[in-house]
Amino acid sequence: MHPSELTSNSKTENGYMELNPLMDSEKLVKEIFQQQPVRGVDEYLSEFSEELRTVAKALRRVAEGKASAQAEAAEWKRKYELERARNLRKEHEGLSTGDGHCDTTSKKAGSISDQREMTNLANDQSERCCGKHGICSHEVLKDGEAESNPMVVRNIMKKASFKLQWGCNGEKNGQHKHDVVSFESGNITTAERSSKQIFLKWESHPQTLLILTKPNSTSVQVLCAEMVRWLKDKKKINVYVEPRVRTELLSKSSYFNFVQTWEDDEEVLLLHMKVDLVVTLGGDGTVLWAASMFKGPVPPLVPFSLGSLGFMTPFQSEHYREYLDTILKGPISITLRHRLQCHVVRHAANDEQETEGPFLVLNEVTIDRGISSFLTNLECYCDNSFVTLVQGDGLILSTTSGSTAYSLAAGGSMVHPQVPGILFTPICPHSLSFRPLILPEYVTLRVQVPFNSRGHTWASFDGKGRKQLAPGDALVCSMAPWPVPTACQVDSTNDFLHSIHDGLHWNLRKTQSFDGPRDS
């Protein structure tokens, strides 16, 4: 429209014209045309950034699934190679003992070829089974290196061998189940599980024992010195202690010069190859500390009760001689306490190998809101299937051994420690229908902080090593391949029931009077 037409049509009722709006109209139109493209670009960029976040989230899920599949494939490959090596050894033993007149030279040649076969299998594992998402057997089973490396722990003794027996109701049936003991040094792995009570039977006498103690306790120090002296003088057993404990013993007497210890973390990683038995003097915290020292196979553990509350310490310290006498002779009942293996996957990670961990926990891993005033928002997945969105103070992923710890305080169930499962327990959920779950052992759980979370969260592993999780970060948990075998005073079920009765006074109630009214 021409400006003259605009002028002719812009008369008011009293005959006057509004000239100022007409003069500014062209400027307003120009400003509108100049602003529209800018707004369009902003909206486009916002949508594009959201799409990029969605793509990044999908790629990270794919990477986590790939890492989980690789770890599972490596574990199956390890089991297959252990079984193959075991069959080769049995076949060779059958050939060697088949004729009654097999000479010594052929036996030596057979044993050398057998050892070479084992070495080749171990080397093949070390080349192809590595990964930060799992603990491979070759990383913790290195018998040959222990003898060739002069820097490892001194006075190395050959480990005692043993087998596991399965029984029912505390009775041994005398039959050996499928071999669940690896051939290298008698290290227990959970290749096969059973719901029956497990017995440990020594095939050679234990030679080396590790004692771990609760710090800053005079009574524990006195008991430790007495136990070390008795083990050396009466049982002729080599004793290892922590560097701190060895210093305390030497400050009392130079007699304890024979006690051995380690100098650095590399020697700690090799302890499972030299120690036949672990004794803990303390409470459940000392048991957790002992389990955290072993990143792979864990020797049988004998926990003595010297703490305030112990669900995993059935042995009384006053009778340690009788208990250790029985355990050293065997057979003994044991409980295989499963552990969780956790990894932290950062949002900024470029590939699936950039993770933090693994973190091994015997009780639980806790994800909480820390000092933040906002509720936690946690997206939970089970084997890549969405489970729920946790809104509350946090979440507990617990083992069955840890069911009587933090999970119980948060409303979770008490579970027999030998039941293979993972407890999924919310902490103060903001929902009336959020009930705890118990999931099977073979699942992989992933807990992710969503991008729209109002604050950070924190993950702690058995109450230690807190890690901050920012929006986009994830925590991946699965069952670890190496359990913690703890000795039982009676058997696994009896010890568990005794612990909840004695420690928690479970279902303790005054008995109802019998002299009240009766049914007619």
Side-chain angles (χ1 to χ4, degrees):
M1 183 181 293
H2 195 272
S4 61
E5 296 179 2
L6 286 173
T7 304
S8 63
N9 293 332
S10 53
K11 293 182 178 180
T12 59
E13 293 180 355
N14 57 8
Y16 289 96
M17 297 174 58
E18 296 179 354
L19 298 176
N20 289 336
L22 294 175
M23 294 173 63
D24 296 334
S25 60
E26 290 187 355
K27 294 182 179 179
L28 291 174
V29 171
K30 289 182 180 180
E31 288 178 2
I32 291 173
F33 279 110
Q34 289 175 356
Q35 290 177 2
Q36 277 184 342
V38 175
R39 291 177 182 175
V41 170
D42 289 343
E43 292 176 359
Y44 174 75
L45 290 176
S46 177
E47 293 178 1
F48 183 67
S49 63
E50 289 296 329
E51 293 295 332
L52 285 179
R53 285 187 179 182
T54 304
V55 172
K57 188 176 180 180
L59 289 175
R60 185 169 58 258
R61 289 180 184 174
V62 171
E64 290 170 359
K66 180 182 176 183
S68 177
Q70 287 176 346
E72 184 178 0
E75 178 64 15
W76 280 108
K77 178 178 178 296
R78 181 186 65 80
K79 292 178 182 179
Y80 166 75
E81 292 180 344
L82 287 176
E83 183 68 21
R84 179 169 173 265
R86 189 183 296 112
N87 292 336
L88 287 173
R89 188 175 70 258
K90 288 181 180 179
E91 182 180 352
H92 171 69
E93 289 174 356
L95 292 174
S96 300
T97 57
D99 325 297
H101 54 277
C102 182
D103 60 349
T104 309
T105 306
S106 64
K107 289 182 180 179
K108 286 184 178 179
S111 63
I112 292 173
S113 63
D114 195 15
Q115 291 176 359
R116 287 177 178 172
E117 178 67 22
M118 303 300 179
T119 304
N120 292 336
L121 286 174
N123 292 337
D124 185 60
Q125 279 184 306
S126 65
E127 291 176 1
R128 292 181 293 173
C129 186
C130 287
K132 295 183 180 180
H133 291 268
I135 299 179
C136 302
S137 60
H138 71 270
E139 295 177 353
V140 289
L141 303 176
K142 303 177 181 177
D143 293 347
E145 293 183 11
E147 297 177 359
S148 61
N149 190 353
M151 299 301 293
V152 297
V153 184
R154 299 174 295 279
N155 299 332
I156 297 174
M157 301 296 295
K158 185 177 180 181
K159 282 198 63 170
S161 59
F162 56 83
K163 288 186 178 180
L164 302 182
Q165 293 178 327
W166 270 255
C168 188
N169 297 327
E171 296 179 3
K172 295 170 285 182
N173 57 15
Q175 297 178 353
H176 295 289
K177 189 104 174 174
H178 185 281
D179 236 347
V180 297
V181 181
S182 58
F183 60 85
E184 283 89 346
S185 296
N187 297 308
I188 299 176
T189 180
T190 50
E192 184 170 342
R193 297 177 176 89
S194 171
S195 59
K196 300 179 181 178
Q197 177 60 50
I198 303 174
F199 294 90
L200 185 147
K201 180 180 179 181
W202 300 106
E203 293 189 334
S204 59
H205 192 71
Q207 298 293 322
T208 308
L209 189 144
L210 169 64
I211 299 179
L212 299 174
T213 65
K214 179 175 68 173
N216 305 321
S217 173
T218 305
S219 59
V220 170
Q221 293 177 7
V222 172
L223 178 62
C224 178
E226 184 181 340
M227 183 180 292
V228 169
R229 191 183 296 270
W230 178 78
L231 287 170
K232 183 64 177 178
D233 295 343
K234 300 298 182 181
K235 296 299 179 181
K236 310 300 179 186
I237 288 182
N238 299 310
V239 179
Y240 278 86
V241 296
E242 298 173 83
R244 168 186 57 83
V245 178
R246 188 173 190 273
T247 303
E248 293 173 355
L249 292 174
L250 289 176
S251 66
K252 296 179 180 180
S253 172
S254 60
Y255 165 81
F256 296 104
N257 273 325
F258 65 88
V259 176
Q260 302 178 62
T261 187
W262 53 88
E263 296 180 357
D264 52 38
D265 294 339
E266 292 185 1
E267 294 186 13
V268 175
L269 295 176
L270 298 173
L271 272 178
H272 72 280
M273 300 166 56
K274 307 159 187 67
V275 174
D276 299 316
L277 204 62
V278 179
V279 171
T280 63
L281 304 179
D284 285 353
T286 311
V287 177
L288 295 176
W289 165 244
S292 67
M293 289 182 59
F294 296 91
K295 307 305 180 184
V298 185
L301 195 146
V302 185
F304 284 91
S305 178
L306 286 160
S308 56
L309 185 65
F311 293 96
M312 295 186 285
T313 55
F315 295 97
Q316 290 76 40
S317 58
E318 297 83 8
H319 309 289
Y320 75 87
R321 292 183 179 87
E322 292 84 351
Y323 289 134
L324 289 179
D325 236 348
T326 302
I327 289 169
L328 292 172
K329 291 177 183 177
I332 58 173
S333 298
I334 65 169
T335 300
L336 294 183
R337 299 183 179 274
H338 310 291
R339 294 188 287 180
L340 289 178
Q341 179 175 282
C342 309
H343 295 85
V344 175
V345 182
R346 299 294 182 185
H347 169 58
N350 294 323
D351 56 56
E352 68 272 15
Q353 298 299 326
E354 294 184 15
T355 63
E356 299 177 21
F359 306 98
L360 293 174
V361 295
L362 181 57
N363 266 357
E364 75 276 315
V365 53
T366 304
I367 305 104
D368 59 75
R369 60 191 177 100
I371 62 174
S372 173
S373 60
F374 301 115
L375 294 178
T376 57
N377 284 275
L378 303 172
E379 296 176 352
C380 302
Y381 300 85
C382 179
D383 287 338
N384 295 322
S385 297
F386 180 74
V387 178
T388 188
L389 176 67
V390 176
Q391 297 182 89
D393 281 354
L395 177 68
I396 300 171
L397 301 179
S398 170
T399 65
T400 50
S401 292
S403 67
T404 51
Y406 196 178
S407 176
L408 176 65
S413 233
M414 290 189 294
V415 187
H416 192 290
Q418 216 158 274
V419 174
I422 302 174
L423 278 67
F424 186 92
T425 308
I427 306 173
C428 297
H430 201 249
S431 169
L432 295 176
S433 60
F434 198 162
R435 308 298 297 170
L437 297 177
I438 301 178
L439 300 169
E441 58 168 337
Y442 55 81
V443 302
T444 298
L445 297 174
R446 179 165 56 88
V447 181
Q448 181 169 331
V449 182
F451 289 102
N452 61 355
S453 177
R454 299 177 70 181
H456 292 70
T457 58
W458 296 83
S460 60
F461 309 92
D462 277 341
K464 299 179 296 184
R466 286 175 68 81
K467 296 285 184 181
Q468 189 180 42
L469 301 179
D473 294 346
L475 180 73
V476 181
C477 295
S478 59
M479 193 70 77
W482 307 106
V484 179
T486 59
C488 304
Q489 184 182 358
V490 182
D491 58 55
S492 182
T493 301
N494 188 289
D495 287 2
F496 171 67
L497 295 177
H498 181 269
S499 70
I500 62 175
H501 280 109
D502 189 56
L504 294 174
H505 303 294
W506 178 64
N507 197 28
L508 185 63
R509 180 191 183 277
K510 187 176 180 179
T511 305
Q512 189 175 20
S513 175
F514 66 89
D515 59 353
R518 301 172 183 268
D519 292 336
S520 57

